[in-house]
């Protein structure tokens, strides 16, 4: 049996990316040539693949990792760097879908993984600009009531005591805009430079002798007693395969491609701003996301610049006037920012599921996959990589909790494309007004 794998989109090699410009110069890994044996072959060099590789290698399992282009060229090296707890799906919706006990276990798993991430950053001295302090900002009184109810739910039902509700006046101490009705502050969430973080994990992989190959797209998987992943100039025989290509992987297995869609999101980074200007915008240097379904998300990053993410394109495309789209959103939130340049602007693909929960599972007993973090994957991708590695090592309890989440299929072509086209048109109208 053969599983065909393709790169969904050729990712632009350079791109005007702040993270790539500020991270360490790229360490290049050579392409795979010839035959190789490993216990596990991982397809995809983003946070999911690298995390799975790390947890396997730390337990003495031999790993080979194939990256189609460059480590971190996908979403993991082009995201907003927001470290947010939980899921893209709301907790009360999850409780209805999965029941309270399962939802609480999932929430606590993410929370503990976030603690593990910070321990690893400290232990391995990963210089990734980690900052603490996160605000969910309410655009209206309905969203404010929802935040108040989330705050109560977290404290009373989830034993999570790290949040504080902020009224409009309290919020004003953190954020100089009249746009919001209030917010919810979380002291352990915040931000990182995601590419610097990923590079730190890759350095750990190198010390553990993980074989890493770049410019080596996995093209097909054939199965026998061993499983073989075929690339352009070589192949890897292994006992297990982990598909960690997320939105950038196009796999011919219907259970994968029917359950998530690649949508694009946009990020821009301003030129350096004066201290006085920064004080007039984000005086306490917190990371912010608003509560809209398609949120604005922003923070101050290295060099006194503002990183601002926004918008979505349901067809996975990038607007021609990308800088203008982002600049307009910035001016709407901070009208006091009258003149600024965007030094960097880029887009990336988010793999989104219908219920906004990650889609994790197995194609068969040897092939595992993870996708569909729905724009909330900086923490979740690392966690799922860890859960897949534990399942491969024989402990599948937590993996099963995730993989038992039911995911609806998207409608087939052409209904899906017509639906996405309409969604995109409505979204463009929303962005313009
Ligand atoms: C613009 C943007 C902003 C975001 N902001 C945030 C945020 O602030 N906070 C947050 O929590 N989440 C955010 N996300 C989501 C988060 O970045 C992702 O969920 C996470 O990085 C997914 O990691 P991954 O390893 O699964 O996928 P990716 O990082 O996309 O890695 C997949 C890799 O697989 C490779 N690949 C694909 N097919 C093949 C093949 N056939 N052979 C070999 N390699 C292959 C690709 O080249 C790619 O490098 C954002 C995403 C985007 C795009």
């Amino acid at each position: 049996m053969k599983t065909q794998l393709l790169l969904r989109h050729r990712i632009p090699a350079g791109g005007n990316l702040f993270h790539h410009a500020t991270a360490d110069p790229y360490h290049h890994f050579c392409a795979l040539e010839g035959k190789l044996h490993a216990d596990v072959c991982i397809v995809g060099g983003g946070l999911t693949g690298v995390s799975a590789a790390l947890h396997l290698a730390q337990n003495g399992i031999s790993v080979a990792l194939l990256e189609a282009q460059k480590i971190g060229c996908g979403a993991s090296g082009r995201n907003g760097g927001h470290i947010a707890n939980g899921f893209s799906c709301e907790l009360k919706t999850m409780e209805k879908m999965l029941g309270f006990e399962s939802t609480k276990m999932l929430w606590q798993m993410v929370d503990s993984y976030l603690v593990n991430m910070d321990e690893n950053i400290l232990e391995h001295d990963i210089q990734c600009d980690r900052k603490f302090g996160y605000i969910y900002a309410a655009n209206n009184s309905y969203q404010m009531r929802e935040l108040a109810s989330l705050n109560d739910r977290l404290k009373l039902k989830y034993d999570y005591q790290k949040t504080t509700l902020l009224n409009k006046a309290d919020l004003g101490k953190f954020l100089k805009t009249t746009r919001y009705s209030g917010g919810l502050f979380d002291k352990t969430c915040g931000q990182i430079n995601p590419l610097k973080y990923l590079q730190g994990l890759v350095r750990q992989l190198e010390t553990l002798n993980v074989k890493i190959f770049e410019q080596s797209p996995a093209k097909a998987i054939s199965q026998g007693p061993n499983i073989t992943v075929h690339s352009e100039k070589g192949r890897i025989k292994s006992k297990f395969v982990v598909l960690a290509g997320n939105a950038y992987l196009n796999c011919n297995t219907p259970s994968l491609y029917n359950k998530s869609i690649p949508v694009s999101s946009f990020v821009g980074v301003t030129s350096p701003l004066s201290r006085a200007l920064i004080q007039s915008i984000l005086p306490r240097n917190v990371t912010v996301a608003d509560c809209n379904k398609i949120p604005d998300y922003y923070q101050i990053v290295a060099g006194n610049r503002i990183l601002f993410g926004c918008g979505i394109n349901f067809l996975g495309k990038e607007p021609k006037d990308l800088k203008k789209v982002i600049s307009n959103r910035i001016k709407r939130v901070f009208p006091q920012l009258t003149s600024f340049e965007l030094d960097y602007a880029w887009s990336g693909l988010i793999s989104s599921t219908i219920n906004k929960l990650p889609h994790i599972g197995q194609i068969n007993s040897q092939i595992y996959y993870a996708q569909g973090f729905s724009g909330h994957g900086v923490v979740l991708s690392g966690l799922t990589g860890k859960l897949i590695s534990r399942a491969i090592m024989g402990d599948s309890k937590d993996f099963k909790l995730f993989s038992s989440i039911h995911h609806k299929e998207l409608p087939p072509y052409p209904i899906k494309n017509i639906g996405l086209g309409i969604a995109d048109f409505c979204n463009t109208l929303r962005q313009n007004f």
Side-chain angles (χ1 to χ4, degrees), residues 17 20 26 45-46 67 70-78 195 198 214:
L17 272 91
H20 292 232
Y26 252 122
E67 165 52 48
K70 288 193 152 299
I71 299 283
C73 68
S76 300
R78 54 181 63 229
L195 188 60
L198 184 66
E214 290 182 327

Side-chain angles (χ1 to χ4, degrees), residues 5 53 74 79 89 94 116 122 145 155 218 236 243 286 298 305 318 335 338 352 365:
L5 303 174
N79 63 56
C89 179
M94 285 179 69
N116 294 161
L122 275 182
R145 283 196 299 278
K155 285 190 183 353
I236 296 174
L243 295 179
V286 285
Y298 49 88
R305 300 167 186 269
E318 180 178 297
T338 46
S352 216
S365 61

Side-chain angles (χ1 to χ4, degrees), residues 4-9 11 42-51 65-84 134 190 194 198 213 215-220 229-231 243-250 263-267 287 297 299 307 309-310 346-351 370-382 384:
Q4 298 293 338
L5 303 174
L6 295 166
L7 249 192
R8 195 188 289 273
H9 284 250
I11 306 166
I42 293 177
V43 175
L47 284 166
T48 305
V50 167
S51 161
L65 187 149
L66 290 179
E67 165 52 48
Q69 295 183 55
K70 288 193 152 299
I71 299 283
C73 68
S76 300
R78 54 181 63 229
N79 63 56
H82 283 214
I83 298 278
Y134 197 89
L198 184 66
F213 302 97
Q215 305 300 342
S216 304
K219 301 238 157 177
V229 180
H230 303 260
S231 185
L243 295 179
N246 203 23
Y248 290 94
L249 179 71
N250 201 353
V263 298
S264 50
S265 179
F266 322 129
V267 183
T287 305
Y297 49 101
Q299 71 261 29
L307 178 151
C310 60
W346 66 91
S347 67
L349 290 182
I350 287 173
S351 166
Q371 61 176 12
F373 303 106
S374 304
H376 205 97
V378 172
V379 182
L380 284 174
S381 54
T384 55

